[in-house]
Amino acid sequence: MGKGKAEVGTPKYLANKMKAKGLQKLRWYCQMCEKQCRDENGFKCHTMSESHQRQILLFADNAGRFIDSFSSEFMTGYLQILRRQFGTKRVAANKVYQEYISDRHHLHMNSTKWHSLSEFVKYLGRNGHCVADETEKGWYITYIDRDPETLAMQEKMAKKQKMDKDDEERLAEFIEEQVRRGNKEEEPSTSSYTELKRDNEEETIKLDLKLGTNIKMESKPLKLEKRPLEVADEFKKEKKFKPGASSSSGFKKPSALDELIREEEIKKEKSNRKDYWLAEGIVVKLVSKSLGEKYYKEKGVVVEVIDKYRAKIKLLETGDKLKVDQAHLETVIPAIGKQVLVLNGGYRGNTATLKEIDTDNYCVTIEIASGPLKGRIVNNVQYEDISKLF
């Protein structure tokens, strides 16, 4: 007769419970039967059982569906722990995995399409679920929170920080420009004076200043003409005409062509407005501390765009190359007169020249420098819709 189960409360029963409570080896776990074996012999006996054979037949009929289902369940559980316990903090991928497998009834990785944790982390990074970076201590991941409320809050904070930083940068550039111009300016030339000499030393010079009396000059008279300054004429010459100003004829109604152009711009704005904005050749700034204080607020140029939402950037100061999600980047507004690239909206993909900056409304005025609409002035362009060209 075979041995029965140990009675409740006996040392054998307690030992079995303690062994069952601990985590067993992954290679001896059967996901189809959801059974954990303690050793190789036990796993071999299980695979020869009738119940296991029935489950294998079910798996053979549609293996892809089972693997996809297991993979989806594993990824969902892993991301839930990452989001709830660690948020958007940078954490070791293995630490999250240890938290996940602490639940005895978790779905095991050997039943998914990933053969190792490294492959799984790379998959999360490629598909934009997390920011993955490899270090000497292993893989580290940072969860990307795409919740609308969280994104709105992050954008609001990013705009405020960007405005403060850009004001400082523009002030520094303005001071540098003034110093440069001051160094280039030449010293004002001093007037040269010559000694007054008379042809005839004995001749007396008399001047008639005409101060209310008619005194005739006995020698050569010196006439002083006074010419009134034509202030009104000079003001008329320098006065500039402002487009759009009201005239005596009243407000000018837009033409049919202007209305058609306006409608076409609205259509292009709707069709070209996307939730991704990365492009090669633009300068961006790292605004997340998840990659460490070393890279915080550093600027880099985008050298490659990956899956629309991620980019490979090269830092301008250190030359380091990083793969970063667009949620951890922001655009860079250059000085007036510099070239920018339109990243979103109706003029997406066109280069332009920065004309004005409105710091109160977080927008700029640009002049399109490429394409069929070259020379067009566009007002009220948001900061995040353009970025400096490298």
Side-chain angles (χ1 to χ4, degrees):
M1 294 179 62
K3 293 182 179 180
K5 291 185 178 180
E7 295 182 4
V8 178
T10 62
K12 183 67 174 177
Y13 175 82
L14 295 177
N16 291 340
K17 280 293 183 181
M18 292 175 66
K19 290 179 181 178
K21 185 178 181 181
L23 187 64
Q24 306 296 317
K25 288 189 176 181
L26 185 62
R27 58 182 296 191
W28 296 330
Y29 181 82
C30 176
Q31 185 64 56
M32 289 298 298
C33 303
E34 297 184 358
K35 180 176 178 59
Q36 175 69 63
C37 301
R38 295 181 185 175
D39 51 27
E40 184 177 2
N41 185 48
F43 186 73
K44 181 179 180 181
C45 293
H46 169 71
T47 56
M48 296 175 62
S49 65
E50 183 179 354
S51 61
H52 177 77
Q53 295 296 327
R54 286 197 300 267
Q55 293 295 330
I56 291 300
L57 291 176
L58 293 175
F59 178 81
D61 290 339
N62 198 342
R65 182 173 63 86
F66 278 102
I67 293 178
D68 291 341
S69 176
F70 292 150
S71 301
S72 177
E73 184 178 346
F74 176 82
M75 184 176 69
T76 301
Y78 187 93
L79 290 177
Q80 283 181 352
I81 291 178
L82 177 61
R83 177 172 60 87
R84 293 175 181 174
Q85 296 191 19
F86 302 98
T88 56
K89 297 180 180 179
R90 183 171 178 262
V91 64
N94 188 55
K95 184 176 181 180
V96 183
Y97 180 70
Q98 294 300 323
E99 291 289 337
Y100 174 74
I101 65 176
S102 62
D103 180 12
R104 181 185 175 191
H105 301 288
H106 70 277
L107 192 139
H108 293 62
M109 184 179 284
N110 64 346
S111 60
T112 66
K113 59 184 177 182
W114 302 291
H115 299 290
S116 64
L117 182 61
S118 299
E119 292 185 8
F120 175 64
V121 172
K122 293 178 182 178
Y123 174 84
L124 294 179
R126 286 195 303 268
N127 289 271
H129 298 289
C130 303
V131 177
D133 58 297
E134 187 177 11
T135 65
E136 296 178 354
K137 297 181 179 180
W139 283 93
Y140 280 78
I141 56 176
T142 306
Y143 181 71
I144 301 174
D145 193 351
R146 299 192 185 277
D147 183 69
E149 295 183 359
T150 306
L151 292 177
M153 183 63 69
Q154 291 177 351
E155 289 180 0
K156 187 176 180 180
M157 294 299 296
K159 278 187 176 181
K160 185 177 182 304
Q161 294 176 358
K162 185 174 186 178
M163 183 190 69
D164 297 339
K165 186 64 176 179
D166 289 345
D167 288 344
E168 295 177 3
E169 291 179 352
R170 282 194 292 272
L171 179 59
E173 291 178 356
F174 176 75
I175 294 173
E176 290 178 2
E177 181 66 18
Q178 294 299 319
V179 173
R180 185 179 63 81
R181 289 182 179 179
N183 293 333
K184 287 186 177 181
E185 288 181 356
E186 297 179 358
E187 294 294 330
S189 58
T190 57
S191 301
S192 59
Y193 300 95
T194 58
E195 184 180 358
L196 178 63
K197 295 182 179 181
R198 292 181 294 179
D199 296 336
N200 188 357
E201 295 292 339
E202 297 179 357
E203 183 180 1
T204 302
I205 297 176
K206 296 182 180 180
L207 301 177
D208 183 9
L209 300 179
K210 298 181 181 181
L211 299 176
T213 58
N214 296 326
I215 303 175
K216 295 183 179 179
M217 182 177 290
E218 297 179 3
S219 183
K220 298 179 181 179
L222 179 63
K223 295 182 179 180
L224 302 176
E225 286 189 3
K226 294 184 178 180
R227 183 178 180 183
L229 179 63
E230 298 293 339
V231 179
D233 293 340
E234 295 296 329
F235 177 75
K236 290 179 182 179
K237 291 180 180 179
E238 295 182 359
K239 185 177 180 181
K240 296 182 180 179
F241 174 73
K242 296 183 178 180
S246 58
S247 60
S248 59
S249 60
F251 177 74
K252 184 179 179 181
K253 184 178 180 181
S255 64
L257 179 60
D258 294 335
E259 292 293 338
L260 290 175
I261 294 175
R262 178 61 179 168
E263 292 178 1
E264 186 65 24
E265 288 181 346
I266 294 175
K267 291 180 181 179
K268 290 176 63 179
E269 172 69 23
K270 292 181 179 179
S271 62
N272 290 336
R273 176 66 58 178
K274 309 293 183 182
D275 60 346
Y276 53 88
W277 51 267
L278 291 171
E280 295 182 4
I282 63 172
V283 179
V284 293
K285 184 191 298 182
L286 286 163
V287 294
S288 175
K289 295 183 180 179
S290 60
L291 297 177
E293 294 289 343
K294 177 183 177 181
Y295 301 120
Y296 183 59
K297 291 293 184 180
E298 289 293 324
K299 293 181 181 179
V301 59
V302 177
V303 296
E304 183 182 353
V305 178
I306 306 171
D307 298 332
K308 297 180 181 180
Y309 296 95
R310 300 181 65 240
K312 182 185 292 185
I313 65 173
K314 182 180 180 181
L315 298 183
L316 297 180
E317 290 190 2
T318 62
D320 295 346
K321 293 184 178 180
L322 303 172
K323 289 183 180 179
V324 190
D325 188 89
Q326 71 173 16
H328 300 290
L329 299 171
E330 71 173 15
T331 58
V332 174
I333 306 300
I336 294 176
K338 298 295 184 179
Q339 291 292 310
V340 297
L341 180 66
V342 183
L343 305 174
N344 223 335
Y347 300 94
R348 184 186 185 108
N350 290 325
T351 57
T353 304
L354 186 62
K355 307 298 289 184
E356 295 180 6
I357 300 176
D358 186 356
T359 57
D360 295 332
N361 298 314
Y362 313 111
C363 60
V364 298
T365 299
I366 60 174
E367 180 181 352
I368 304 301
S370 64
L373 299 177
K374 182 179 180 180
R376 179 180 293 274
I377 302 296
V378 185
N379 300 315
N380 300 325
V381 180
Q382 297 300 314
Y383 281 169
E384 58 267 22
D385 289 346
I386 64 167
S387 192
K388 178 181 178 181
L389 275 172
F390 181 68

